[in-house]
Amino acid sequence: MKKKIIVVGGGLSGLMATLKICEAGGEVELFSYCPVKRSHSLCAQGGMNACMDTKGENDTVYEHFDDTVYGGDFLADQTAVQGMTDAAPKLIKMFDRMGVPFTRTAEGMLDLRNFGGQKNKRTLFSGSTTGQQLLYALDEQVRAWELKGAVKKYEFWEFIKIIKNKEGVCRGIVAQDMNAMEIRAFRADTVILATGGPGMVFGRCTASTICNGSAVSAVYQQGAYIGNPEFIQIHPTAIPGSDKNRLMSEACRGEGGRVWVYKDGKPWYFLEEMYPAYGNLVPRDVASRAIYDVCVNQKLGINGENRVYLDLSHIPAEYLERKLGGILEMYSEFVGDDPRKVPMQIYPSVHYSMGGIWVDIKHNTNIPGLMASGECDYQYHGANRLGANSLLSATYSGTVSGPEAMRWAKEGERGSELTDEDLKKAADACRAEYEAILKMDGPENAHQLHHELGDVMNKYVTIERVNKDLDYCFDEVKKILKRWDNIGLTDRSSWSNQEAMFTRQLRNMIIYALVVTKAARMRDESRGAHYKREFPTRDDERFMKTTIAEYDQATEEPKISYIDFDHSLVKPRARNYAVAKKE
Amino acid sequence: MAEAKKKVHFIIERQDGPNSKPYTEEFEVDYRPALNVVASLMEIQKNPVTKDGKKTTAPVWECNCLEKVCGACMMVINGKAQQACAALIDHLEQPIRLAPARTFPVIRDLAIDRTVMFENLKRIQGWVKVDGSWEVHNDAPRQNPRTAATAYEISRCMTCGCCMEACPNVNSGSDFIGPAALGQTHLFNMHPIGEYFKEDRLNALMDKGGIASCGNSQNCVEACPKEIKLTTYIAKLNREVNKQALKNMFNK
């Protein structure tokens, strides 16, 4: 009999895993709460890193590996990173064969651009919508498999929970049809979660509205460990907005964009001054902190507001059009100014989670039979992710998790099959929870409560973290969790009820906010994206360890512990982007 | 400012389910600079009360990226199909009328079922046939950067359905495949590996509801939010289909 794998999430990682499973002769049931072609991977703009060495710079795979580990402030599993950087050029060639319209040089080769935290040109790109193009390529390949019957898509179905057998092995899931609202249980030989990041926990951020981390939180509450949740990437250059902060790609700086504010009546290119070796192309954590310092501490933001200039106006318009086209249009469209003529105004925003479900090097979680892949896992980026490494890690993780899911389906100790009774019990439990939500009748509005959650998380758990503020934040989030019980639904329809589903997601978001806040509170050092003025330096002795958050049923709070990880390949050294990197 | 808070007035076409009767409800949202239609709908979610103070449910609609890349939030705004996230209030005449794109079956309120667009991609075999995702120890062919730029232009199609809504020949009484899938056919046919199976794609467009159903109204190219030159590519494709039809006749 064919092995059946459930993949939850159809972004780059989920689709890559799906392809690998189909090629290995397995069958996939692919769950997504949007058509997979609309997944958040398509928001990645700038590119994907791979050592192609076609620019006469003698770039090496080792250099990519070392930049990634150094950029991640020595918190990433080094063997895992090595696997990823080794595979990168091969993955680019795969995408090229699949028809991704990469931007090309005059002689028809794949072009490369600069990106942050790397001295060599190593970033492949498709204009300024690289993620969209890579996602579409895999979407197309998976559609071909769908036609052959190897993939069955459940689009507009929301994952609710995993189902474990009596030995504690994950053998299926419960999901809900988002229109008919039908709740059903499904059997699987292996389950892969590829559900993306938790951006919506912070409310306004660069993520899509679908990136709420709800699935991750759900399996955490069922016993999956979360690794390094405190490491939340703040992207330095986003267009602040009341509905969302829209990303302005790092490619702007990669193509020569300069960041500045007025100081004493003159433009001050503060990144270039503070970090002469890397200038505007310092990694994201470093750039975000500098912008924060200039605006919040030095009060030099544009018109006293939290904004700085990102300037492309000195670059020829034709060049900008070819290299960055799409995002400049977006800026003009949403802001009204033309970035070819006037400097853009930007500010840092929550963007990506380095942390996520803890996995081993093959992407198995601590729950047998459950795997995690893509941004929802914690692998590859340590304390800070380099720009253009996320399209890479999303794709690469799928090439690992897919085949491993098949191996587990064939050889794993999976224990007993789920009986019809088991399936019914699991679905009934989810149905009861859902019915209870439909009946909620309190004074709180779920969307308003979500707004408040985002406000408090953005205020206290982003660029600069202070212990007493984190304590306060934790208490506030706990209050929000209590207030969740007092939500009242305005919509009790049994057809396409978005409010009821959002209410369920919101509870998971609040629980995850506690995880991020608590983990940030416990890590008394500064490393990568996690910065505390009280503890301004990296403390390798105490904290060169992976944070593990485990759910405590009784308190609904996380228990935090630390475990060692594989850093056998390069020794940790101080990270300093004012000078060229030493090995 | 002493004057009362500026409000934005919406008239929203609602429908409780696929077979329910449509009705309208009016809403008011506080104005703020750079406000767009999606952000306004989000405000309504926080307090779903009509303009007359009647408690109601929040309108249902689909959205993801809010950056005009995912294609999800397409709806008809003041009579024109477009992405709601990029529809800035400052550019719209009030009252702002929101309606579902009725070329597609309505699910609920502004949410529509665009399954047909994804199914069309199967019909035209919208992919490059590769042996597998494994290594083949061989580079893909180089491409003329100008051809690659055209491919990029078409490949930005986000399956939003604006062109389908605007096309007079796509409707419940017609089986026309529509402009989006035709553009995609041209995309895969121009790829150096994709073109190996060009004939299959052209043949698929000779059947009922294929390219012959295009009435050349030119609405699609006007409606495309990505400014894809759809009519140019459909014209090229039409010539290819005709050539292929002749070839098929002689080879019989």
Side-chain angles (χ1 to χ4, degrees), chain A residues 229-312:
Chain A
E230 64 271 43
F231 293 96
I232 298 288
Q233 177 158 80
I234 315 297
H235 196 293
T237 62
I239 315 165
S242 58
D243 53 336
K244 99 168 274 192
N245 300 325
R246 293 178 172 84
L247 177 65
M248 201 29 72
S249 175
E250 189 165 304
C252 293
R253 287 173 289 139
E255 298 295 353
R258 302 175 76 186
V259 175
W260 61 276
V261 288
Y262 282 108
K263 187 184 180 185
D264 307 324
K266 282 185 306 222
W268 178 36
Y269 297 94
F270 54 92
L271 288 175
E272 295 169 33
E273 189 179 301
M274 292 172 183
Y275 303 100
Y278 284 78
N280 293 292
L281 282 174
V282 287
R284 292 172 177 176
D285 58 330
V286 178
S288 290
R289 267 195 298 281
I291 295 170
Y292 177 86
D293 184 58
V294 163
C295 291
V296 177
N297 300 328
Q298 304 191 43
K299 312 248 180 265
L300 290 172
I302 303 167
N303 301 328
E305 287 173 38
N306 283 343
R307 309 265 172 112
V308 300
Y309 292 114
L310 170 59
D311 198 348
L312 294 167

XYZ file of all heavy atoms in Angstrom, chain A residues 229-312:
675
model
N 12.285 30.451 20.780
C 11.169 31.323 20.366
C 11.440 32.809 20.551
O 10.775 33.637 19.922
C 10.015 30.883 21.282
C 10.676 30.251 22.453
C 11.912 29.598 21.916
N 12.393 33.170 21.426
C 12.640 34.596 21.699
C 13.306 35.302 20.523
O 13.353 36.537 20.490
C 13.490 34.761 22.962
C 14.915 34.198 22.917
C 15.011 32.731 23.346
O 14.150 31.929 22.936
O 15.969 32.383 24.061
N 13.807 34.540 19.561
C 14.530 35.183 18.461
C 13.579 35.544 17.321
O 13.250 34.735 16.464
C 15.679 34.284 17.992
C 16.726 34.154 19.058
C 16.731 33.079 19.925
C 17.674 35.155 19.226
C 17.669 32.990 20.947
C 18.608 35.079 20.247
C 18.614 33.990 21.106
N 13.128 36.778 17.387
C 12.188 37.320 16.410
C 12.943 38.350 15.578
O 13.524 39.290 16.123
C 11.002 38.004 17.132
C 10.215 37.000 17.990
C 10.096 38.731 16.136
C 9.377 36.005 17.223
N 12.965 38.159 14.286
C 13.690 39.104 13.446
C 12.882 40.373 13.209
O 11.711 40.316 12.816
C 14.022 38.484 12.093
C 14.723 39.473 11.162
C 15.508 38.784 10.072
O 14.948 38.350 9.075
N 16.795 38.656 10.277
N 13.537 41.503 13.463
C 12.939 42.790 13.155
C 13.619 43.290 11.886
O 14.820 43.535 11.870
C 13.174 43.799 14.298
C 12.902 43.178 15.669
C 12.342 45.060 14.063
C 11.495 42.735 15.919
N 12.849 43.414 10.820
C 13.430 43.856 9.550
C 13.617 45.366 9.607
O 12.695 46.092 9.968
C 12.511 43.479 8.391
C 13.186 43.559 7.058
N 13.593 44.759 6.506
C 13.546 42.603 6.169
C 14.163 44.516 5.335
N 14.152 43.228 5.106
N 14.804 45.866 9.251
C 15.047 47.303 9.425
C 14.214 48.201 8.516
O 13.925 49.331 8.882
C 16.542 47.460 9.113
C 16.940 46.216 8.389
C 15.999 45.143 8.824
N 13.833 47.703 7.351
C 13.219 48.628 6.392
C 11.828 48.180 5.976
O 11.657 47.381 5.069
C 14.113 48.806 5.143
O 14.257 47.564 4.472
C 15.479 49.335 5.513
N 10.820 48.710 6.659
C 9.429 48.450 6.282
C 8.695 49.785 6.229
O 9.100 50.747 6.870
C 8.765 47.521 7.293
N 7.628 49.816 5.442
C 6.782 51.013 5.385
C 5.754 50.861 6.489
O 4.916 49.967 6.427
C 6.016 51.098 4.041
C 6.941 50.791 2.856
C 5.352 52.447 3.883
C 6.171 50.494 1.559
N 5.802 51.715 7.515
C 4.842 51.551 8.600
C 3.422 51.768 8.084
O 3.186 52.639 7.252
C 5.215 52.662 9.594
C 6.587 53.101 9.206
C 6.699 52.869 7.736
N 2.484 50.948 8.561
C 1.092 51.093 8.130
C 0.167 50.672 9.250
O 0.568 49.926 10.146
N -1.075 51.138 9.207
C -1.976 50.808 10.308
C -2.568 49.412 10.143
O -2.987 48.788 11.099
C -3.094 51.839 10.399
O -3.784 51.878 9.169
N -2.623 48.902 8.910
C -3.121 47.537 8.722
C -1.978 46.543 8.669
O -2.085 45.430 9.141
C -3.957 47.435 7.436
C -3.227 47.955 6.210
O -2.307 48.778 6.365
O -3.567 47.538 5.087
N -0.861 46.936 8.080
C 0.326 46.088 8.092
C 1.542 46.944 7.783
O 1.414 48.011 7.184
C 0.172 44.925 7.105
C 0.850 45.113 5.758
C 0.903 43.831 4.933
C 2.093 42.956 5.257
N 2.313 41.866 4.305
N 2.707 46.476 8.194
C 3.941 47.135 7.792
C 4.425 46.434 6.532
O 4.648 45.228 6.545
C 4.987 47.021 8.892
C 4.522 47.656 10.184
O 3.817 48.657 10.164
N 4.892 47.063 11.303
N 4.522 47.179 5.451
C 4.888 46.536 4.188
C 6.402 46.535 4.014
O 7.054 47.563 4.159
C 4.196 47.242 3.027
C 2.693 47.034 3.104
C 1.887 47.721 2.040
N 0.499 47.269 2.158
C -0.390 47.806 2.994
N -0.065 48.841 3.742
N -1.612 47.312 3.082
N 6.905 45.357 3.700
C 8.350 45.175 3.596
C 8.934 45.984 2.446
O 8.373 46.034 1.359
C 8.635 43.689 3.366
C 10.096 43.310 3.169
C 10.896 43.572 4.431
C 10.210 41.843 2.779
N 10.062 46.625 2.701
C 10.831 47.236 1.628
C 12.153 46.472 1.585
O 12.984 46.607 2.469
C 11.016 48.731 1.938
C 11.337 49.612 0.769
S 10.718 49.111 -0.839
C 8.967 49.438 -0.664
N 12.309 45.666 0.568
C 13.348 44.639 0.533
C 14.752 45.129 0.871
O 15.133 46.252 0.552
C 13.389 44.023 -0.860
O 14.453 43.114 -0.945
N 15.493 44.233 1.497
C 16.921 44.464 1.732
C 17.650 44.654 0.396
O 18.731 45.229 0.342
C 17.483 43.235 2.462
C 18.889 43.374 2.972
C 19.207 42.271 3.971
O 18.485 42.127 4.966
O 20.195 41.550 3.750
N 17.034 44.177 -0.681
C 17.632 44.345 -2.010
C 17.843 45.829 -2.317
O 18.741 46.183 -3.078
C 16.744 43.706 -3.071
N 17.030 46.704 -1.724
C 17.228 48.148 -1.932
C 18.635 48.539 -1.513
O 19.331 49.272 -2.212
C 16.229 48.965 -1.120
S 14.533 48.761 -1.664
N 19.043 48.035 -0.343
C 20.406 48.326 0.114
C 21.417 47.505 -0.674
O 22.514 47.973 -0.947
C 20.518 48.078 1.621
C 19.802 49.168 2.434
C 19.770 48.843 3.919
N 18.870 47.731 4.202
C 19.118 46.755 5.051
N 20.261 46.737 5.722
N 18.256 45.782 5.233
N 21.020 46.288 -1.060
C 21.906 45.447 -1.868
C 22.249 46.105 -3.193
O 23.338 45.932 -3.746
N 21.317 46.882 -3.721
C 21.534 47.551 -5.004
C 22.050 48.980 -4.819
O 22.041 49.771 -5.754
C 20.243 47.553 -5.829
C 19.713 46.164 -6.200
C 20.630 45.378 -7.140
O 21.633 45.944 -7.624
O 20.357 44.186 -7.380
N 22.457 49.320 -3.617
C 23.109 50.619 -3.413
C 22.320 51.622 -2.584
O 22.755 52.772 -2.432
N 21.173 51.220 -2.036
C 20.371 52.136 -1.221
C 21.116 52.536 0.055
O 21.856 51.745 0.628
N 20.919 53.808 0.467
C 21.613 54.308 1.654
C 20.586 54.756 2.702
O 19.567 55.340 2.371
C 22.513 55.489 1.289
C 23.550 55.128 0.229
C 24.335 56.359 -0.205
N 25.321 56.738 0.801
C 26.064 57.845 0.712
N 25.913 58.680 -0.305
N 26.953 58.137 1.654
N 20.921 54.482 3.972
C 20.023 54.843 5.066
C 20.580 56.083 5.763
O 21.771 56.136 6.061
C 19.912 53.662 6.064
C 19.073 54.064 7.284
C 19.304 52.437 5.381
N 19.705 57.090 5.976
C 20.200 58.304 6.626
C 19.101 59.071 7.326
O 17.918 58.838 7.103
C 20.921 59.210 5.618
C 20.095 59.724 4.459
C 19.838 59.074 3.294
C 19.440 60.996 4.351
N 19.072 59.848 2.463
C 18.818 61.042 3.080
C 19.322 62.115 5.195
C 18.076 62.139 2.639
C 18.594 63.217 4.754
C 17.979 63.217 3.488
N 19.523 59.999 8.181
C 18.619 61.004 8.771
C 19.389 62.330 8.789
O 20.616 62.349 8.597
C 18.216 60.667 10.235
C 17.262 59.497 10.288
C 19.448 60.428 11.094
N 18.658 63.408 9.007
C 19.340 64.688 9.186
C 19.941 64.762 10.572
O 19.295 64.423 11.563
C 18.366 65.856 9.000
C 18.073 66.141 7.549
C 16.848 65.827 6.989
C 19.058 66.738 6.747
C 16.579 66.080 5.654
C 18.800 67.006 5.409
C 17.555 66.670 4.862
O 17.312 66.924 3.547
N 21.195 65.238 10.645
C 21.822 65.511 11.937
C 22.578 66.816 11.761
O 23.360 66.937 10.796
C 22.791 64.380 12.297
C 23.357 64.484 13.694
C 24.379 63.364 13.904
C 24.972 63.424 15.291
N 26.040 62.411 15.422
N 22.322 67.762 12.596
C 22.901 69.098 12.472
C 22.669 69.663 11.068
O 23.578 70.253 10.458
C 24.413 69.085 12.782
C 24.699 68.438 14.125
O 23.885 68.619 15.050
O 25.717 67.715 14.240
N 21.496 69.423 10.530
C 21.128 69.999 9.237
C 21.731 69.300 8.033
O 21.476 69.687 6.895
N 22.518 68.241 8.251
C 23.146 67.544 7.117
C 22.757 66.063 7.135
O 22.557 65.491 8.208
C 24.686 67.656 7.213
C 25.216 69.019 6.765
C 26.741 69.030 6.765
C 27.308 68.598 8.095
N 28.398 69.284 8.655
N 22.686 65.428 5.962
C 22.412 63.984 5.966
C 23.494 63.220 6.731
O 24.690 63.468 6.534
C 22.457 63.615 4.485
C 22.207 64.879 3.755
C 22.816 65.968 4.597
N 23.039 62.349 7.595
C 23.972 61.513 8.369
C 23.737 60.052 7.971
O 22.695 59.482 8.276
C 23.723 61.721 9.860
C 24.594 60.870 10.739
C 25.886 60.504 10.530
C 24.234 60.277 12.005
N 26.364 59.731 11.556
C 25.372 59.579 12.481
C 23.070 60.278 12.788
C 25.368 58.877 13.688
C 23.072 59.581 13.998
C 24.215 58.888 14.445
N 24.710 59.493 7.279
C 24.624 58.096 6.845
C 25.140 57.227 7.981
O 26.270 56.748 7.953
C 25.412 57.897 5.554
C 24.850 58.709 4.402
C 25.344 59.979 4.091
C 23.791 58.212 3.641
C 24.803 60.726 3.054
C 23.246 58.952 2.614
C 23.748 60.208 2.320
O 23.199 60.940 1.304
N 24.279 57.064 8.978
C 24.777 56.498 10.242
C 25.253 55.062 10.145
O 26.203 54.675 10.826
C 23.748 56.685 11.366
C 22.374 56.158 11.066
C 22.020 54.862 11.431
C 21.431 56.949 10.445
C 20.754 54.372 11.175
C 20.151 56.469 10.183
C 19.811 55.165 10.536
N 24.642 54.244 9.278
C 25.125 52.854 9.180
C 26.530 52.819 8.591
O 27.393 52.052 9.019
C 24.170 52.006 8.331
C 22.828 51.667 8.972
C 21.930 50.934 7.978
C 23.002 50.821 10.232
N 26.748 53.675 7.593
C 28.076 53.714 6.961
C 29.128 54.190 7.955
O 30.276 53.724 7.937
C 28.038 54.623 5.724
C 27.117 54.058 4.647
C 26.818 55.041 3.510
O 27.698 55.848 3.167
O 25.679 54.999 2.981
N 28.716 55.125 8.837
C 29.671 55.640 9.810
C 29.939 54.636 10.931
O 31.072 54.395 11.338
C 29.140 56.949 10.402
C 30.162 57.667 11.268
C 29.596 58.972 11.826
O 29.203 59.824 11.010
O 29.549 59.096 13.069
N 28.846 53.993 11.407
C 29.011 53.071 12.533
C 29.683 51.757 12.125
O 30.388 51.144 12.908
C 27.634 52.713 13.122
C 26.907 53.837 13.816
S 25.219 53.242 14.213
C 24.499 54.693 14.932
N 29.404 51.327 10.881
C 29.892 50.004 10.443
C 30.620 50.127 9.107
O 30.107 49.698 8.074
C 28.720 49.023 10.323
C 27.962 48.892 11.610
C 26.761 49.571 11.813
C 28.474 48.118 12.654
C 26.080 49.480 13.017
C 27.791 48.021 13.858
C 26.603 48.699 14.036
O 25.946 48.608 15.228
N 31.827 50.725 9.127
C 32.508 51.009 7.860
C 32.714 49.769 6.972
O 32.655 49.884 5.749
C 33.845 51.617 8.294
C 33.909 51.538 9.775
C 32.554 51.211 10.296
N 32.899 48.601 7.556
C 33.206 47.429 6.725
C 31.982 46.967 5.922
O 32.093 46.591 4.764
C 33.726 46.283 7.588
N 30.796 46.991 6.530
C 29.602 46.490 5.862
C 28.635 47.606 5.463
O 27.787 47.435 4.606
C 28.870 45.476 6.757
C 29.554 44.129 6.805
C 30.689 43.923 7.595
C 29.086 43.067 6.041
C 31.325 42.694 7.637
C 29.708 41.825 6.075
C 30.832 41.646 6.879
O 31.451 40.428 6.910
N 28.765 48.756 6.130
C 27.939 49.908 5.784
C 26.454 49.623 5.866
O 25.962 49.077 6.859
N 25.730 49.963 4.793
C 24.275 49.753 4.782
C 23.909 48.272 4.739
O 22.747 47.925 4.918
C 23.655 50.477 3.592
C 23.765 51.980 3.750
O 23.133 52.566 4.613
N 24.612 52.604 2.937
N 24.900 47.427 4.481
C 24.611 45.997 4.355
C 24.986 45.194 5.595
O 25.363 44.032 5.509
C 25.269 45.432 3.096
C 24.482 45.776 1.821
C 25.234 45.324 0.582
C 23.089 45.149 1.858
N 24.853 45.837 6.755
C 24.979 45.060 7.993
C 23.751 44.154 8.093
O 22.722 44.430 7.476
C 25.055 45.968 9.250
C 26.401 46.651 9.329
C 23.915 46.972 9.285
N 23.847 43.056 8.882
C 22.671 42.188 9.045
C 21.500 42.950 9.669
O 21.663 44.029 10.232
C 23.162 41.098 9.989
C 24.637 41.102 9.845
C 25.021 42.515 9.570
N 20.337 42.333 9.594
C 19.105 43.009 9.960
C 19.025 43.416 11.427
O 18.538 44.491 11.749
C 17.919 42.105 9.606
C 17.795 41.968 8.115
C 16.774 40.943 7.694
N 16.687 40.944 6.242
C 15.934 40.113 5.547
N 15.201 39.211 6.179
N 15.910 40.176 4.237
N 19.494 42.532 12.319
C 19.413 42.872 13.740
C 20.240 44.118 14.031
O 19.825 45.002 14.777
C 19.847 41.685 14.614
C 21.257 41.198 14.321
O 21.712 41.330 13.170
O 21.920 40.692 15.254
N 21.411 44.196 13.393
C 22.322 45.314 13.631
C 21.715 46.608 13.078
O 21.696 47.647 13.750
C 23.702 45.028 12.974
C 24.651 46.194 13.178
C 24.301 43.739 13.529
N 21.178 46.534 11.853
C 20.582 47.727 11.230
C 19.365 48.196 12.012
O 19.197 49.397 12.258
C 20.197 47.414 9.786
N 18.524 47.269 12.449
C 17.312 47.646 13.184
C 17.659 48.334 14.501
O 17.043 49.331 14.875
C 16.438 46.417 13.467
O 15.877 45.961 12.265
N 18.655 47.790 15.192
C 19.058 48.410 16.467
C 19.600 49.820 16.248
O 19.310 50.734 17.023
C 20.113 47.549 17.174
C 19.516 46.570 18.165
C 20.537 45.996 19.110
N 21.582 45.240 18.442
C 21.439 43.984 18.006
N 20.306 43.348 18.174
N 22.443 43.359 17.410
N 20.364 49.978 15.168
C 20.929 51.304 14.892
C 19.812 52.304 14.593
O 19.820 53.432 15.088
C 21.908 51.216 13.716
N 18.824 51.893 13.797
C 17.708 52.797 13.462
C 16.907 53.138 14.725
O 16.536 54.281 14.956
C 16.806 52.159 12.375
C 17.594 52.011 11.073
C 15.549 52.987 12.153
C 16.897 51.183 9.996
N 16.699 52.127 15.552
C 15.980 52.323 16.813
C 16.726 53.330 17.692
O 16.138 54.258 18.247
C 15.857 50.967 17.519
C 15.194 50.995 18.874
C 13.813 50.909 18.977
C 15.950 51.085 20.041
C 13.190 50.912 20.221
C 15.346 51.096 21.296
C 13.964 51.008 21.377
O 13.359 51.008 22.610
N 18.038 53.141 17.772
C 18.858 54.032 18.602
C 18.779 55.471 18.093
O 18.589 56.409 18.866
C 20.308 53.530 18.586
C 21.191 54.362 19.496
O 20.883 54.431 20.694
O 22.163 54.972 18.999
N 18.907 55.646 16.788
C 18.881 56.975 16.185
C 17.527 57.656 16.412
O 17.462 58.843 16.730
C 19.218 56.875 14.669
C 18.813 58.132 13.925
C 20.709 56.585 14.484
N 16.449 56.889 16.311
C 15.110 57.481 16.449
C 14.692 57.624 17.908
O 14.231 58.680 18.320
C 14.063 56.629 15.720
S 14.244 56.669 13.940
N 14.843 56.556 18.676
C 14.271 56.534 20.020
C 15.209 57.192 21.045
O 14.780 58.031 21.838
C 13.925 55.090 20.452
C 13.403 55.049 21.882
C 12.892 54.505 19.492
N 16.484 56.831 21.003
C 17.407 57.385 22.002
C 17.944 58.757 21.590
O 17.998 59.673 22.388
C 18.567 56.416 22.251
C 18.071 55.066 22.754
O 17.045 55.007 23.446
N 18.748 53.997 22.404
N 18.324 58.890 20.307
C 18.920 60.164 19.870
C 17.860 61.125 19.328
O 18.179 62.274 19.026
C 19.990 59.903 18.808
C 21.072 58.935 19.269
C 22.254 58.902 18.314
O 22.706 59.940 17.849
N 22.740 57.715 18.004
N 16.642 60.655 19.173
C 15.518 61.497 18.714
C 15.799 62.206 17.395
O 15.486 63.386 17.221
C 15.145 62.532 19.789
C 15.003 61.949 21.194
C 13.545 61.998 21.655
C 13.358 61.422 23.045
N 12.971 60.003 23.048
N 16.425 61.505 16.476
C 16.784 62.118 15.201
C 15.917 61.624 14.043
O 16.235 61.862 12.880
C 18.268 61.842 14.884
C 19.277 62.576 15.777
C 20.692 62.063 15.498
C 19.210 64.079 15.552
N 14.815 60.939 14.361
C 13.927 60.454 13.302
C 13.350 61.613 12.491
O 13.350 62.759 12.952
N 12.860 61.326 11.294
C 12.305 62.354 10.411
C 11.163 63.091 11.111
O 10.218 62.442 11.576
C 11.787 61.722 9.098
C 12.892 60.946 8.395
C 11.213 62.790 8.170
C 12.414 60.042 7.264
N 11.242 64.378 11.205
C 10.234 65.206 11.893
C 9.944 64.698 13.309
O 8.821 64.784 13.789
C 8.910 65.231 11.107
C 9.096 65.783 9.715
O 9.946 66.643 9.497
N 8.340 65.264 8.765
N 10.946 64.145 13.943
C 10.774 63.662 15.308
C 10.000 62.363 15.416
O 9.753 61.850 16.501
N 9.583 61.809 14.264
C 8.843 60.545 14.292
C 9.785 59.367 14.114
O 10.928 59.529 13.719
C 7.807 60.534 13.165
C 6.638 61.449 13.423
C 5.730 61.534 12.214
O 5.550 60.492 11.554
O 5.228 62.631 11.929
N 9.262 58.177 14.385
C 10.077 56.985 14.221
C 10.151 56.587 12.747
O 9.492 55.638 12.302
C 9.515 55.849 15.067
C 9.862 56.018 16.530
O 10.764 56.778 16.870
N 9.156 55.308 17.396
N 10.959 57.321 12.006
C 11.156 57.063 10.577
C 12.567 57.480 10.220
O 13.083 58.447 10.767
C 10.233 57.921 9.712
C 8.774 57.895 10.066
C 8.041 56.879 9.230
N 6.675 56.717 9.706
C 5.603 57.107 9.005
N 5.745 57.671 7.831
N 4.387 56.902 9.484
N 13.181 56.756 9.270
C 14.450 57.220 8.684
C 14.332 57.111 7.164
O 13.409 56.478 6.649
C 15.670 56.385 9.182
C 15.803 56.482 10.687
C 15.567 54.932 8.745
N 15.264 57.713 6.470
C 15.255 57.654 5.016
C 15.972 56.401 4.506
O 17.018 56.014 5.033
C 15.942 58.881 4.405
C 15.190 60.168 4.626
C 15.720 61.181 5.425
C 13.935 60.363 4.045
C 15.030 62.367 5.633
C 13.240 61.542 4.253
C 13.781 62.546 5.045
O 13.092 63.696 5.248
N 15.381 55.805 3.486
C 16.061 54.764 2.708
C 16.100 55.329 1.293
O 15.062 55.518 0.658
C 15.289 53.452 2.761
C 15.739 52.343 1.802
C 17.195 51.952 2.047
C 14.845 51.102 1.940
N 17.287 55.615 0.831
C 17.454 56.483 -0.331
C 17.988 55.725 -1.549
O 19.071 55.143 -1.511
C 18.436 57.606 0.056
C 18.348 58.782 -0.883
O 17.714 58.657 -1.939
O 18.921 59.837 -0.529
N 17.188 55.738 -2.618
C 17.626 55.133 -3.887
C 17.711 56.196 -4.972
O 18.019 55.897 -6.121
C 16.590 54.091 -4.346
C 16.395 52.847 -3.500
C 15.129 52.128 -3.934
C 17.586 51.911 -3.631
